[in-house]
Amino acid sequence: MNIDSKRVLITGGAGFIGSNFVLRTLERYPHAKLYNVDKLTYAANPRGMERAECSGRYQLIRADIAHGETMRTLFERIEPELIIHFAAESHVDRSILGPAEFIRTNIEGTFQLLEAARALHTASKPIHFHHISTDEVYGSLPLDEGAFTESTAYDPSSPYSASKAASDHLVRAYYRTYGLPITITNCTNNYGPRQFPEKLVPLMILSALEERSLPIYGEGKNVRDWLYVDDHIEAIWAAIERGRVGETYGIGGGEEKNNLEVVECIAQIVAAEADMDAEAILARRVFIRDRPGHDLRYAIDPQKARDELGWTPRESFESGMRKTVRYILENRALYDSIRSGEYRQWIAKNYTKRGGEAA
Ligand code: NAD
Ligand code: DAU
């Protein structure tokens, strides 16, 4: 499917990956119209998206995807030709502390979007549904061997990954049962500009810059397969444009690092970019209680995406991390407003609430 000139309904486009996706897509596809349906939870930050607002081809609609009636009405009004579904509760630790919102948004929300799409989809006016998912649905790998492929059995460990697994199954079921055209991408750990600073990478960069302690779960030996956010965006475009309907594509950066290595790399880059001492940063590492059910290792074998979509990542871990550190250094005010909570007041003032949004 050609994305340009389409009416595209994006969910979660004010979050980390979604907001980068909106900004890049408006540049790359000069005729696409983007409608961003986002509840603007704690993780959203529509600040810094002025370029999108000024384009005349972008609209942010504050709404809850789990509110079925609101979704049906919105779909009837917008008549989307393509849906790209990012919206989710995305942080594993929060899902351990309080899983209910994950079930509601990630499962019920995906279900309501699928229902709204099914009600409008016809052979003459088709709607394509692209679902953004995660490698966490496959569970954990041993330290030294193997990688997930599209045929690996699902085995999620956390309430977050279980809710994403359920959403993947629903999306595939709507293709098999109702013929709704779908594609799915299951991606590894992203990092880059605009990521909410509860996640490992921005948390460590900000802690290093502010001379605070760097909390590492357990022994720091857990491995993740890191991908710079722009490379994920390229993979999503490729899956929508060149992917086969009904198929799933695993997207991975091939940059496996354990958490100690991630923190080491961040310390070196922060030291170089901000004129600090890397050893002093590393001396502030503290090893804290491990995450319950902490998956040991994730890695995706991206061969299918390479072969069928012609996709490969451009950034190395080192080059992507340097860009990320520089972005944070140049946008300290944005991160300060997130952490002080001041950005929530700004959202309340600038965006009205629609159906299903709690006060
Ligand atoms: P994020 O937490 O930064 O952003 C999520 C966005 O969804 C926010 O803007 C939030 O307001 C919105 N949202 C949450 N609940 C909503 C609801 N009920 N209705 C409407 N909007 C709602 O997440 P992210 O890291 O950008 O992840 C985006 C997607 O990519 C998620 O589906 C996630 O599972 C998937 N993913 C993330 C990664 C990663 O490393 N971050 C890797 C693979 C897949
Ligand atoms: O694999 C894709 C997934 O990556 C996405 O589906 C999730 O939405 C995304 O949050 C991410 O999940 P992780 O749990 O892997 O990311 P997080 O940044 O929370 O943690 C990365 C690793 O760092 C993990 O092993 C836990 C560890 N960690 C994390 C934090 C926040 C620490 O050691 N200390 C910390 O303070």
Side-chain angles (χ1 to χ4, degrees):
M1 155 174 267
N2 179 6
I3 298 173
D4 210 8
S5 82
K6 293 282 184 299
R7 281 189 307 281
V8 186
L9 190 151
I10 290 168
T11 71
F16 161 48
I17 305 173
S19 64
N20 282 289
F21 185 86
V22 163
L23 292 168
R24 301 266 338 268
T25 300
L26 286 168
E27 280 167 15
R28 156 106 180 229
Y29 298 98
H31 306 293
K33 285 208 176 96
L34 308 189
Y35 302 86
N36 174 14
V37 178
D38 197 302
K39 185 178 170 183
L40 301 182
T41 68
Y42 80 95
N45 194 351
R47 269 183 165 179
M49 295 190 69
E50 293 76 15
R51 262 187 299 139
E53 313 250 348
C54 293
S55 69
R57 295 185 288 118
Y58 168 78
Q59 193 186 345
L60 172 59
I61 300 151
R62 187 176 192 182
D64 183 347
I65 58 164
H67 200 260
E69 204 183 307
T70 308
M71 288 307 109
R72 273 193 300 283
T73 313
L74 270 180
F75 275 53
E76 280 162 17
R77 175 163 75 74
I78 294 167
E79 295 191 333
E81 297 158 283
L82 170 62
I83 293 150
I84 309 176
H85 177 30
F86 292 93
E89 286 294 336
S90 71
H91 192 45
V92 173
D93 295 328
R94 284 181 191 259
S95 83
I96 295 166
L97 289 171
E101 209 48 36
F102 287 72
I103 306 306
R104 187 171 179 281
T105 288
N106 300 0
I107 305 179
E108 174 77 16
T110 303
F111 165 69
Q112 294 298 353
L113 291 171
L114 288 165
E115 278 291 275
R118 178 165 84 92
L120 278 196
H121 169 75
T122 60
S124 58
K125 276 185 148 188
I127 300 181
H128 185 96
F129 193 105
H130 182 78
H131 181 54
I132 309 293
S133 194
T134 168
D135 61 353
E136 295 201 15
V137 297
Y138 301 116
S140 186
L141 289 163
L143 255 198
D144 296 322
E145 56 167 318
F148 303 130
T149 71
E150 292 77 4
S151 56
T152 302
Y154 276 38
D155 188 19
S157 303
S158 70
Y160 162 69
S161 49
S163 68
K164 290 298 288 186
S167 69
D168 290 12
H169 292 321
L170 277 170
V171 173
R172 266 190 286 270
Y174 271 63
Y175 167 65
R176 293 183 192 159
T177 307
Y178 304 114
L180 185 73
I182 64 113
T183 36
I184 301 178
T185 40
N186 290 81
C187 189
T188 57
N189 283 60
N190 284 214
Y191 65 99
R194 304 179 57 80
Q195 187 166 29
F196 195 81
E198 64 190 348
K199 305 277 165 69
L200 181 74
V201 167
L203 179 72
M204 294 297 157
I205 295 173
L206 286 163
S207 303
L209 287 169
E210 291 164 1
E211 301 186 5
R212 287 187 286 114
S213 61
L214 313 177
I216 296 174
Y217 299 164
E219 295 178 4
K221 299 280 172 58
N222 304 66
V223 173
R224 300 291 183 259
D225 177 356
W226 293 94
L227 184 71
Y228 188 65
V229 65
D230 284 358
D231 281 323
H232 186 187
I233 290 167
E234 301 259 357
I236 297 166
W237 289 335
I240 293 168
E241 293 196 326
R242 299 192 284 281
R244 286 179 292 139
V245 169
E247 291 293 318
T248 295
Y249 296 91
I251 309 297
E255 287 278 18
E256 288 187 48
K257 306 270 176 249
N258 72 30
N259 296 332
L260 293 177
E261 292 166 327
V262 172
V263 172
E264 169 87 35
C265 175
I266 288 173
Q268 297 297 343
I269 294 176
V270 166
E273 297 290 328
D275 197 16
M276 292 175 76
D277 177 7
E279 288 312 312
I281 294 172
L282 289 171
R284 284 192 294 277
R285 287 175 305 180
V286 286
F287 292 85
I288 62 172
R289 193 169 72 91
D290 209 354
R291 173 186 279 174
H294 196 173
D295 288 330
L296 185 57
R297 174 172 163 255
Y298 304 141
I300 282 269
D301 173 356
Q303 194 180 339
K304 184 175 172 186
R306 246 193 335 254
D307 293 351
E308 290 191 20
L309 310 178
W311 173 85
T312 45
R314 292 170 202 261
E315 298 290 345
S316 67
F317 185 70
E318 165 88 24
S319 66
M321 197 57 76
R322 196 169 295 280
K323 284 187 174 181
T324 309
V325 169
R326 286 186 181 158
Y327 179 87
I328 291 182
L329 279 170
E330 285 159 15
N331 292 275
R332 289 296 286 277
L334 184 75
Y335 289 88
D336 288 345
S337 82
I338 291 173
R339 285 176 318 147
S340 68
E342 182 253 328
Y343 81 115
R344 299 301 314 165
Q345 292 157 26
W346 186 82
I347 285 177
K349 212 165 64 200
N350 287 278
Y351 294 97
T352 50
K353 290 174 183 159
R354 287 174 75 106
E357 167 71 328

